[in-house]
Amino acid sequence: MTSGRHAVLIAGLAMAVALTAWFAPPWARVGAVFVAAILAWYLATRHGVTTSAAVEPASGKTGNDLKTLTDGIVAATEGECLNSRNELERTIGLIRSASDTLSASFNNMHAHIQAQHDFALQVASKLGGNLEDGANLQFSEFIQDTSKTLDSFIDSTVSTSKIAMGLVESMETIDTQVQAVQNILGEIEAISKQTNLLALNAAIEAARAGEAGRGFAVVADEVRSLSMRTNQFSSEIRHHMDEVHGSIDQAHDAILSVASMDMNFALQSKSRLQATMARLEEMNLEMGRAIEHIDKLAEQVNLEVHSATQALQFQDITNRLTGQTARHLESLRVIMAGMNLAVQDTEPRPPARQKPAQSGNA
Amino acid sequence: MLITEKIDDHMARLSLDGRFDFHSHRDFRSAYDAVLARPEIHQIAIDFGRVDYLDSSALGMLLLLREKAEAGNKKVKLTNLTGSVKQVLEIANFGKLFTIE
């Protein structure tokens, strides 16, 4: 009766082991199988002693049951051990490949971040920011050059205007003098007219004097012709002076077009340049801030990649742990094998009694 | 352009009104020639308060005036500069050549 109760107990235990094996995590499975095995082995040895002491037909039956049970337990345990070992190996493989992939992609990430950082620096320095090397200031240099060109253009415009206005003043002076000459010519013409009249009067007086005035008439004629020549020269000079005056007027107009430049072009260009300069400086500042930000981010990512890579070393620990679990499984298997042997040691008698037991059964 | 002249002790003030360009050169010259001819004047102030436009010939005239004034030991200052007139004078760096008020 006691061995029957033991059988029920063992069956219950086997069921518990099976359930644990189905649902529980690997370490619990190993524990459960281990506990069950110890119990079964203990019971089996105890039962073996009782069967050898009391030779009863009933005890032969119990031995057979026990053997079947232990066989079942051993087989189940070995099956579980094998499954667990396989699963462990698969787990190790998965972890290894996953951590390898992760390591590789973290390293790639690190490299990409570094490349991105370098590229950003390069772009920034090419655009001519006030960054460390500052070698490529082409854009702002260009603006400064343009600004200088504009300044020198303004300077030359102003100095051209100054020279032109100086010329205008000189020409005004000449024009005034031309007018003075023309006034003098008027005087000369008046004198010549007067002389002409006087000569005419003299001629008339000479005619009245008759023979005595004949010589005087010749002198009067000469004086008249001189006054007429003076008048002719005077009008020639007037003509030339008019031409000078006309030329001065023309030059005046020509100078107007040189000297008189609208300065708004300079204002507009200057303000555009200043706006561009300001925008450029702003851009440089923004660029600097962005680069700084990228720098910080890259540093942070590097730190995170580093800690992730360190965290990936859990693979070693899991390898060690799974190795231990495998060794535990192996010792469990050895224990089970030992238990089986122990149960079989109680067998030498059962084969002799197997027939009476079977006949007892029948 | 209209020019009004006002004299206080040693300073002559020429107040300009209108467009200061090439066409003003006769008026401007006769105004400053009259002032330059007076030995008791030490300083000439050009008042731009009513000037609404300035071209490069005006700048040239101012430079000529400065040259002549310096030759006669007189100083030229530019006053009441506003708006685009001020900007044009600044762009031409007149701040370095004249006293600006």
Side-chain angles (χ1 to χ4, degrees):
Chain A
M1 269 333 268
T2 43
S3 58
R5 221 181 294 145
H6 285 155
V8 170
L9 196 67
I10 287 165
L13 268 171
M15 189 75 94
V17 168
L19 279 171
T20 317
W22 190 261
F23 293 111
W27 61 267
R29 294 185 209 178
V30 175
V33 170
F34 190 72
V35 167
I38 297 290
L39 262 173
W41 180 73
Y42 170 74
L43 288 169
T45 34
R46 244 194 95 199
H47 186 73
V49 172
T50 42
T51 40
S52 60
V55 188
E56 284 173 2
S59 70
K61 191 186 168 225
T62 323
N64 266 345
D65 288 350
L66 190 64
K67 188 186 178 305
T68 320
L69 261 173
T70 50
D71 277 350
I73 289 170
V74 167
T77 314
E78 284 206 335
E80 283 305 318
C81 282
L82 199 64
N83 284 345
S84 303
R85 189 187 286 272
N86 285 340
E87 280 170 19
L88 275 175
E89 272 165 13
R90 270 181 60 205
T91 312
I92 291 170
L94 281 174
I95 288 173
R96 187 176 295 140
S97 80
S99 70
D100 284 352
T101 315
L102 280 172
S103 282
S105 64
F106 276 136
N107 283 335
N108 282 343
M109 210 188 282
H110 178 77
H112 287 323
I113 293 280
Q114 197 57 44
Q116 189 187 6
H117 175 235
D118 292 349
F119 188 63
L121 267 181
Q122 210 181 334
V123 169
S125 64
K126 278 227 168 93
L127 280 176
N130 39 7
L131 297 160
E132 309 100 73
D133 67 342
N136 293 309
L137 292 164
Q138 292 162 351
F139 195 48
S140 59
E141 264 176 20
F142 168 71
I143 299 222
Q144 275 162 4
D145 281 355
T146 315
S147 186
K148 273 184 200 157
T149 311
L150 180 65
D151 283 346
S152 69
F153 186 62
I154 291 169
D155 282 352
S156 71
T157 305
V158 173
S159 63
T160 303
S161 289
K162 184 193 160 194
I163 293 165
M165 294 323 287
L167 276 176
V168 167
E169 287 198 356
S170 307
M171 285 189 326
E172 294 273 303
T173 313
I174 294 171
D175 208 25
T176 317
Q177 279 160 1
V178 166
Q179 270 173 10
V181 171
Q182 281 173 332
N183 291 341
I184 293 166
L185 283 177
E187 290 283 313
I188 289 171
E189 276 160 7
I191 291 167
S192 134
K193 213 174 183 177
Q194 200 77 21
T195 313
N196 193 20
L197 275 176
L198 281 174
L200 198 64
N201 283 341
I204 291 165
E205 290 302 320
R208 266 195 208 162
E211 200 58 30
R214 187 162 287 244
F216 194 68
V218 173
V219 174
D221 259 4
E222 280 303 308
V223 170
R224 199 168 161 244
S225 84
L226 274 176
S227 98
M228 278 166 77
R229 272 179 71 195
T230 306
N231 206 25
Q232 193 188 334
F233 279 132
S234 166
S235 70
E236 265 176 41
I237 292 170
R238 184 177 288 281
H239 176 69
H240 286 303
M241 283 298 141
D242 282 348
E243 276 186 351
V244 170
H245 181 72
S247 300
I248 286 173
D249 273 356
Q250 278 179 14
H252 197 269
D253 290 348
I255 289 172
L256 179 129
S257 64
V258 173
S260 187
M261 275 269 269
D262 184 13
M263 295 302 285
N264 280 331
F265 82 91
L267 286 184
Q268 281 161 7
S269 308
K270 193 88 181 177
S271 69
R272 266 203 295 277
L273 274 176
Q274 278 168 346
T276 313
M277 235 4 215
R279 177 76 194 112
L280 186 70
E281 258 167 45
E282 203 181 308
M283 262 166 65
N284 280 346
L285 274 178
E286 274 171 25
M287 192 85 73
R289 276 199 290 271
I291 293 293
E292 217 171 286
H293 196 56
I294 289 175
D295 252 359
K296 271 183 192 157
L297 283 180
E299 209 172 298
Q300 225 168 322
V301 172
N302 273 348
L303 279 175
E304 274 162 28
V305 165
H306 185 69
S307 67
T309 319
Q310 269 192 337
L312 277 178
Q313 282 164 6
F314 75 89
Q315 197 203 338
D316 295 343
I317 303 163
T318 47
N319 273 353
R320 212 168 56 237
L321 286 175
T322 45
Q324 273 175 8
T325 312
R327 274 198 299 284
H328 287 321
L329 281 173
E330 182 56 25
S331 36
L332 183 63
R333 203 187 60 74
V334 169
I335 289 165
M336 291 313 291
M339 189 184 80
N340 206 11
L341 274 178
V343 172
Q344 274 172 9
D345 275 350
T346 60
E347 290 301 284
R349 275 165 226 175
R353 273 180 203 102
Q354 200 135 21
K355 271 162 201 172
Q358 269 168 356
S359 60
N361 264 350
Chain B
M1 186 175 72
L2 278 173
I3 304 173
T4 4
E5 184 195 298
K6 195 182 165 202
I7 293 179
D8 294 324
D9 289 340
H10 301 300
M11 195 180 84
R13 175 178 293 270
L14 298 176
S15 302
L16 315 181
D17 186 348
R19 283 171 70 91
F20 189 8
D21 59 13
F22 188 80
H23 303 289
S24 338
H25 76 267
R26 277 196 193 99
D27 297 336
F28 187 64
R29 188 189 174 185
S30 57
Y32 75 64
D33 272 348
V35 171
L36 287 174
R38 300 170 74 144
E40 78 274 15
I41 303 289
H42 298 317
Q43 197 173 43
I44 305 164
I46 312 286
D47 188 339
F48 285 88
R50 288 171 176 273
V51 174
D52 47 27
Y53 180 80
L54 201 68
D55 74 355
S56 65
S57 59
L59 303 178
M61 285 182 250
L62 289 171
L63 290 177
L64 276 182
L65 164 61
R66 176 175 168 269
E67 218 170 69
K68 288 180 182 174
E70 277 182 354
N73 275 327
K74 296 177 177 26
K75 292 230 154 112
V76 181
K77 66 174 181 180
L78 313 178
T79 61
N80 281 328
L81 303 174
T82 50
S84 66
V85 169
K86 187 180 181 185
Q87 284 177 316
V88 167
L89 291 171
E90 273 172 0
I91 256 181
N93 271 326
F94 270 38
K96 288 182 187 160
L97 306 173
F98 295 88
T99 314
I100 288 182
E101 277 178 9

